[in-house]
Amino acid sequence: MELTISQRKTYKIKYQFVIYTCIISFLFSLVRIDTTCLLFTLPFFYLCFLCGYYALLSYSIGMIISILFFQLPVEIFIISFIGFIVLEFCQLFQSMKASYVPYLLTLIAGIYYAYCQLDLLTTLLLTILTYTNIMIFSYLPPLFIHSQSQLLTHERMKALSTVIFICIMSLLPYSREMTMILMRIFILGMIYHQCLDDLLPSLFYISMLMLLIDTGYKDDILTLLIPLFFFYMFQLKSKWAIASLYLLSHVTLPFFVDFSYTYNGLIIVTSAFIFLLMPTIHQKIILSSSYEEITIKQQITKQVESFCHLFEQMTSLFNQTPVHNHTLEYIGYVYEEMCHDCSSCESCFNYQYGPNRLVKLMNKGLKEKYDEEDMDFIHSYCLKPEKYIETLSTFQKDYFKVNRIQQEYQTMKKDLYHQFSLLNDVFNQFSQQIQIGHIEEKHIYEHLLGYHFQIAHLKKYYESQSTYYIEIGLYETNQNEIKNELIPILETYLNESLDIHTLKTPMHQLGYTYLVLKHHTRYYVQYGISQCSKEPVACGDSYTLFTMNENQYFALSDGMGQGQKASDDSTLTLDVIKQLIMNGISLKDTIQSVNALLKIKNRNDMFTTLDMVEINMVLGTATFMKYGSCPTYIIRNHQVIEIESKSLPIGIVSPLEISIDKEKLIENDIVVMISDGFTQHFKEFLKENEYLIDEEHPKNIAQLLMHLSSEEDKNDDMTIIVLKLCQQ
């Protein structure tokens, strides 16, 4: 990737690109079929046109050298120049798409072949070959521009092999032996790098071109192709093993070709010897996931999915547990106490007033007070109305206690169900991340294709956890389309902001556009913290700060009371919050989880305040979460903005009312978070001392404010956190 290397190396790559392009264009001009090289030079001109003016200049230099020293017909260079004028005209008026350029250049070549008065069959054949070469070379712009092996794919490897073979073929008129030796060395190198499947299509194609040049090369072509079949039967990795099999595989050649031990033997032995001497690194050129990695990944994914399914079933069963109703049990108790041995048991349940009216009154008396009508009915039909009411009153107290315990149990069960649900969400997210793995580029690629962008290359590079680059190569586009369409589409899809790091459109909508988008943090936070403890053993206030993706979190918690217990309670609160957020749980679910856990832990005997701010380092937005905490203050342009708490501390009630405020911060905003040890008039205190903290570092501001606080305030634990938003 161009942006990850030094400037000096970037210039070196550019110089190498110019030299290589010049050499290739020169060599292509020497390969001729039926006295013309246009079927090679014009497709390479198309490749250079896609790469920009540097490539076109290098192409022209190579062609001029061939004209001056190797008698290349000037018409070949003129046709390339005509093609350049036509394409520039099309770009100027934007009257053509890049996908139409191969057809236009093929038409120009066909007209030239007809102009040379070639027969119809030859004209048709050369025209088809010209179009074929153009389509083969169209795979190579990303590779030529960026000069990186990471961009090699199977298609580009086949196209690159074709280019190399054509360059080697340029030596045929001058040294047939050297041509065959170089071809064999290249074939052995491809076998060594396990790229035989990418080699064969280009080798078959080159074999056809060699036969079109001269049918006398038939035996040379067979001596190249026949030994390759042995390498499909044996998978070898060492150079010595490959060279040995290569030599042995030629034993069968005398049965198929007119084998010359002097000519063919010299070529075979020389190529094998040079191959052994070449310093090559044994690594696979095509970068792809290995079978073993995919297999392990599938096994882990299956296990995580199985566990998620089991966990979801258990959680669902836990949520569906029926609530036990104790009302009928207590009616039975009252009946046993009052009515079981009563002589009027059968008659007092008068059916003319509805079935079992007194039993219904027992049910009502357990839950609420009787009205006047109910009392009259009891006194009219019960032999011992006072005992009836007294017994109900006695059992009512127990019923209320059991009912309250039942409600607490149900609340606790709901809280636990919520926690299990969050854990299930974490495992589901983990399963999705395993499934996605490193194919995020594929998702972006498919998304852009859905909007009909012609993507030639797409790569995503991570510089850090929150900073990454998206490198894109595409056709048929211009700067306006990239800025107004492609970037907004990507930002919406990724839900993240992207800046243009590099944008090169050398040939506008007909060339190859190189684009690098950067996602990074635009801001950073300076902070300072100062504490004052009432007890020397421990401070009941705790604080934490951590980073998750592009968000930075600052949290302050004050435990109930002072000393070690308060410190433990507040520390536990912040630790759990940090771990939940770091594992992908949302802010709202995190707060509810901690609230439920604190209630379950100490049964309402433990609660803590929470003052937390989440600052997005890309957008500069701040999200404030305040539960029973002191106000937070934003100092901006000599003004003090107060953000107050609107909710109870954590661990008292469930569910907890969500209290979240959002503010857009600007550069140099100062955020002040304090615990409840400070005075209630802290806002006025800030206004009075605002001139002292304007240009100071947050660390100095925190120490200064703590020092200026009154001695009366220091009867409790005190903590102050000062934040300052700065731009990168």
Side-chain angles (χ1 to χ4, degrees):
M1 185 178 178
E2 184 176 287
L3 56 92
T4 60
I5 58 180
S6 64
Q7 193 72 16
R8 181 178 179 182
K9 192 171 182 180
T10 300
Y11 289 136
K12 182 180 179 181
I13 291 175
K14 290 181 179 179
Y15 294 146
Q16 290 176 346
F17 170 73
V18 170
I19 294 172
Y20 292 156
T21 305
C22 180
I23 293 174
I24 292 173
S25 64
F26 166 70
L27 295 177
F28 275 19
S29 66
L30 302 180
V31 184
R32 301 178 185 181
I33 296 179
D34 206 342
T35 70
T36 182
C37 63
L38 188 64
L39 71 162
F40 302 112
T41 57
L42 192 60
F44 191 66
F45 160 78
Y46 170 65
L47 173 60
C48 294
F49 183 85
L50 293 177
C51 296
Y53 293 107
Y54 278 109
L56 286 174
L57 179 62
S58 304
Y59 169 83
S60 302
I61 293 174
M63 297 293 289
I64 292 173
I65 293 174
S66 184
I67 292 172
L68 295 177
F69 299 102
F70 291 88
Q71 299 179 350
L72 175 71
V74 182
E75 294 86 354
I76 301 297
F77 182 73
I78 294 175
I79 291 173
S80 300
F81 182 74
I82 293 173
F84 173 75
I85 297 298
V86 172
L87 294 178
E88 282 290 323
F89 180 82
C90 294
Q91 282 199 132
L92 182 64
F93 295 97
Q94 296 187 357
S95 57
M96 181 178 292
K97 293 184 177 181
S99 57
Y100 299 156
V101 175
Y103 301 109
L104 176 62
L105 295 179
T106 303
L107 177 62
I108 294 175
I111 294 173
Y112 172 76
Y113 298 142
Y115 171 78
C116 294
Q117 298 182 351
L118 300 175
D119 60 86
L120 180 61
L121 184 61
T122 304
T123 301
L124 181 61
L125 175 63
L126 293 178
T127 304
I128 293 174
L129 291 176
T130 303
Y131 175 77
T132 302
N133 289 334
I134 290 175
M135 298 310 297
I136 291 174
F137 294 174
S138 65
Y139 288 104
L140 297 176
L143 198 60
F144 270 60
I145 291 177
H146 310 309
S147 301
Q148 290 191 5
S149 60
Q150 297 97 313
L151 301 180
L152 277 172
T153 61
H154 293 289
E155 290 77 14
R156 290 178 187 144
M157 193 69 245
K158 294 171 186 175
L160 185 61
S161 299
T162 303
V163 170
I164 294 174
F165 275 127
I166 294 174
C167 290
I168 296 174
M169 281 171 53
S170 63
L171 299 176
L172 274 175
Y174 310 101
S175 176
R176 183 172 177 176
E177 295 81 2
M178 183 58 66
T179 302
M180 292 298 111
I181 290 174
L182 291 177
M183 282 189 174
R184 288 171 178 274
I185 293 173
F186 177 66
I187 291 172
L188 287 172
M190 292 290 284
I191 294 173
Y192 179 67
H193 288 97
Q194 303 176 25
C195 297
L196 186 58
D197 291 334
D198 298 323
L199 172 72
L200 285 180
S202 59
L203 183 57
F204 287 136
Y205 181 65
I206 292 301
S207 300
M208 181 193 68
L209 296 180
M210 289 179 63
L211 290 175
L212 289 174
I213 294 175
D214 188 350
T215 56
Y217 296 130
K218 176 177 66 67
D219 287 346
D220 289 305
I221 293 172
L222 288 176
T223 58
L224 286 175
L225 295 177
I226 292 175
L228 293 182
F229 292 99
F230 287 87
F231 290 95
Y232 271 104
M233 294 183 286
F234 304 97
Q235 295 294 327
L236 306 175
K237 295 183 178 180
S238 69
K239 295 178 67 173
W240 285 98
I242 292 174
S244 300
L245 180 61
Y246 169 73
L247 294 173
L248 291 174
S249 63
H250 290 81
V251 175
T252 59
L253 289 183
F255 297 96
F256 302 101
V257 300
D258 185 11
F259 190 82
S260 171
Y261 290 95
T262 304
Y263 169 73
N264 297 108
L266 177 64
I267 292 174
I268 294 168
V269 174
T270 303
S271 59
F273 180 72
I274 296 176
F275 167 70
L276 289 173
L277 294 179
M278 289 178 60
T280 54
I281 302 175
H282 191 192
Q283 61 180 6
K284 204 169 183 179
I285 295 178
I286 305 301
L287 300 179
S288 60
S289 298
S290 65
Y291 173 77
E292 293 79 10
E293 181 183 348
I294 294 174
T295 303
I296 295 173
K297 182 177 173 181
Q298 289 175 345
Q299 291 175 353
I300 296 175
T301 303
K302 185 179 294 185
Q303 291 174 354
V304 173
E305 287 179 346
S306 176
F307 184 81
C308 288
H309 182 66
L310 176 62
F311 201 87
E312 187 175 353
Q313 286 181 323
M314 295 173 61
T315 306
S316 178
L317 290 173
F318 182 79
N319 185 45
Q320 295 172 2
T321 304
V323 179
H324 182 63
N325 191 346
H326 296 275
T327 306
L328 294 178
E329 292 181 12
Y330 276 85
I331 291 175
Y333 298 153
V334 176
Y335 180 80
E336 290 289 335
E337 183 76 18
M338 273 291 306
C339 306
H340 185 267
D341 298 326
C342 181
S343 59
S344 301
C345 180
E346 297 295 333
S347 61
C348 73
F349 293 93
N350 195 328
Y351 284 90
Q352 65 176 331
Y353 297 100
N356 306 329
R357 176 72 186 276
L358 283 175
V359 176
K360 290 184 178 180
L361 287 176
M362 290 179 189
N363 183 27
K364 183 177 181 181
L366 287 171
K367 298 179 180 178
E368 56 185 274
K369 290 184 178 181
Y370 290 129
D371 56 26
E372 186 175 350
E373 182 182 353
D374 295 330
M375 295 296 290
D376 291 341
F377 185 87
I378 293 171
H379 281 88
S380 299
Y381 291 97
C382 185
L383 295 179
K384 300 176 181 179
E386 289 78 9
K387 186 177 180 182
Y388 182 95
I389 296 171
E390 182 183 354
T391 304
L392 273 174
S393 178
T394 302
F395 281 104
Q396 187 186 49
K397 295 178 182 179
D398 292 338
Y399 175 79
F400 283 157
K401 290 180 181 179
V402 172
N403 196 42
R404 187 184 66 182
I405 294 172
Q406 180 83 16
Q407 290 177 351
E408 290 182 1
Y409 167 73
Q410 291 299 324
T411 302
M412 185 183 302
K413 191 174 69 172
K414 289 181 180 179
D415 291 337
L416 288 173
Y417 169 73
H418 182 66
Q419 309 314 310
F420 287 138
S421 299
L422 292 180
L423 289 174
N424 192 32
D425 292 341
V426 172
F427 281 111
N428 282 323
Q429 291 178 10
F430 179 59
S431 176
Q432 292 174 2
Q433 290 174 358
I434 293 176
Q435 291 176 5
I436 293 173
H438 299 287
I439 61 172
E440 191 176 0
E441 298 165 358
K442 179 182 178 182
H443 293 167
I444 299 174
Y445 179 82
E446 292 176 349
H447 188 73
L448 291 178
L449 285 183
Y451 284 90
H452 304 288
F453 287 101
Q454 302 298 318
I455 307 298
H457 160 62
L458 192 147
K459 192 73 177 176
K460 191 173 183 180
Y461 301 85
Y462 278 91
E463 184 178 278
S464 64
Q465 189 177 10
S466 59
T467 303
Y468 62 82
Y469 301 89
I470 301 178
E471 185 183 44
I472 307 175
L474 62 163
Y475 305 114
E476 297 185 9
T477 189
N478 53 48
Q479 291 191 17
N480 290 332
E481 290 178 349
I482 290 173
K483 294 178 180 179
N484 300 327
E485 296 180 22
L486 186 143
I487 294 178
I489 287 172
L490 271 182
E491 288 181 332
T492 303
Y493 177 65
L494 298 172
N495 195 26
E496 294 176 337
S497 60
L498 297 170
D499 295 331
I500 296 178
H501 183 277
T502 304
L503 175 59
K504 297 179 181 179
T505 55
M507 307 307 295
H508 307 293
Q509 82 275 9
L510 293 184
Y512 176 84
T513 298
Y514 175 62
L515 171 67
V516 178
L517 300 175
K518 182 179 182 180
H519 171 77
H520 63 106
T521 56
R522 298 191 178 103
Y523 302 94
Y524 67 95
V525 175
Q526 294 179 344
Y527 65 90
I529 301 171
S530 181
Q531 275 191 320
C532 179
S533 175
K534 180 181 179 181
E535 295 187 4
V537 178
C539 180
D541 299 342
S542 297
Y543 64 87
T544 185
L545 49 102
F546 59 94
T547 302
M548 176 64 178
N549 296 331
E550 59 192 32
N551 297 318
Q552 194 159 359
Y553 297 85
F554 300 87
L556 173 62
S557 178
D558 183 4
M560 183 177 64
Q562 295 91 26
Q564 189 63 49
K565 184 179 183 303
S567 176
D568 293 341
D569 292 347
S570 58
T571 301
L572 173 65
T573 300
L574 296 184
D575 284 346
V576 174
I577 288 175
K578 177 180 178 180
Q579 294 303 322
L580 288 175
I581 292 177
M582 294 292 286
N583 281 281
I585 304 299
S586 67
L587 286 175
K588 293 182 179 180
D589 289 335
T590 294
I591 300 300
Q592 294 290 7
S593 299
V594 174
N595 181 66
L597 290 173
L598 294 185
K599 284 196 65 188
I600 294 169
K601 181 178 182 292
N602 282 353
R603 300 295 298 272
N604 294 338
D605 291 334
M606 169 187 176
F607 63 87
T608 63
T609 66
L610 176 65
D611 192 1
M612 185 173 181
V613 58
E614 173 197 73
I615 301 179
N616 187 291
M617 297 293 106
V618 177
L619 304 176
T621 56
T623 303
F624 298 91
M625 290 140 286
K626 304 182 70 61
Y627 296 92
S629 60
C630 295
T632 296
Y633 303 94
I634 301 176
I635 303 175
R636 177 186 299 163
N637 297 329
H638 305 286
Q639 293 182 347
V640 179
I641 304 170
E642 183 177 2
I643 300 175
E644 295 181 326
S645 175
K646 301 176 182 178
S647 181
L648 293 172
I650 295 178
I652 295 180
V653 296
S654 182
L656 189 66
E657 182 182 352
I658 298 300
S659 174
I660 293 180
D661 293 306
K662 291 191 176 182
E663 290 285 339
K664 179 67 174 73
L665 301 181
I666 62 176
E667 187 180 4
N668 295 323
D669 273 1
I670 296 176
V671 179
V672 181
M673 305 165 64
I674 58 174
S675 64
D676 60 2
F678 285 86
T679 177
Q680 296 179 352
H681 306 289
F682 193 77
K683 184 175 182 180
E684 289 72 18
F685 175 71
L686 283 178
K687 290 180 179 179
E688 293 173 0
N689 297 279
E690 192 270 336
Y691 68 96
L692 296 174
I693 62 178
D694 191 22
E695 300 295 333
E696 292 291 329
H697 190 279
K699 184 183 296 185
N700 299 331
I701 296 174
Q703 295 175 352
L704 177 64
L705 293 177
M706 182 66 74
H707 177 73
L708 293 176
S709 62
S710 65
E711 291 296 330
E712 296 178 358
D713 294 337
K714 297 181 180 179
N715 292 324
D716 195 0
D717 296 326
M718 300 171 62
T719 302
I720 182 170
I721 300 177
V722 181
L723 314 174
K724 186 175 184 180
L725 186 71
C726 304
Q727 197 159 8
Q728 296 278 12

